[in-house]
Amino acid sequence: MTHATASVKAVEVTGFPLPPPMRRALDLAAEAAASGEVPVGAVVTHGEDVVGEARNAMRGTLDPTAHAEMVALRHAATRLGQARLDGCTLWVTLEPCAMCAAAIGLARIDKLVFGAEDPKGGAVVNGPRLYSLPTCHHRPQLLGGIGEIEAASQLRQFFALRRR
């Protein structure tokens, strides 16, 4: 679904292989689910190089900020030796929450590519639509829906098992 106020392109690619960074993010999300974490994975690329990657790790690390995006951004900043990640793309399986969206802006990520929208907790095309606010200092290019079917399926399966 595309929301004009957020300027997001929604694209679902079927019948074609996913871009390798999104494939890796989905694999990381599966690892998160296997360890009892909400299945979200994130990969930061600079050109063709992966400079950071992570999966959700809040329960295992007892860190409420250990969302996949936050940890991947930290790894990328450390690897590149700078807090601003100009020229980088963040690939994540779920629309970022407000905390992660703010960190993405602060890191100056050039492009945010995400899989499934998050109507309850998302802050990019849902909720506060952070990048549409006039106080937002940096707005990454947005592309949603890449890997959406698999990402949404991982989330549905994870929460269905918890509700039993």
Side-chain angles (χ1 to χ4, degrees), residues 12-135:
E12 181 54 48
V13 179
T14 56
F16 295 96
L18 288 169
M22 185 56 82
R23 175 74 266 147
R24 178 65 181 145
L26 287 162
D27 292 344
L28 289 164
E31 290 176 19
S35 67
E37 301 278 357
V38 175
V40 179
V43 174
V44 179
T45 57
H46 187 262
E48 298 295 316
D49 298 325
V50 172
V51 294
E53 65 176 38
R55 61 176 181 78
N56 268 2
M58 295 174 299
R59 288 181 171 186
T61 61
L62 303 177
D63 178 358
T65 70
H67 291 200
E69 302 95 308
M70 299 293 286
V71 179
L73 290 173
R74 289 181 193 127
H75 288 285
T78 299
R79 177 149 181 217
L80 295 174
Q82 59 192 32
R84 291 207 171 172
L85 302 177
D86 300 308
C88 290
T89 299
L90 175 64
W91 305 77
V92 62
T93 59
L94 183 65
E95 174 187 355
C97 70
M99 174 183 68
C100 294
I104 291 162
L106 290 170
R108 300 300 196 261
I109 289 288
D110 283 356
K111 185 175 183 181
L112 169 60
V113 181
F114 64 90
E117 288 188 17
D118 186 354
K120 285 185 176 181
V124 176
V125 297
N126 290 287
R129 297 181 181 163
L130 191 74
Y131 303 128
S132 298
L133 298 176
T135 55

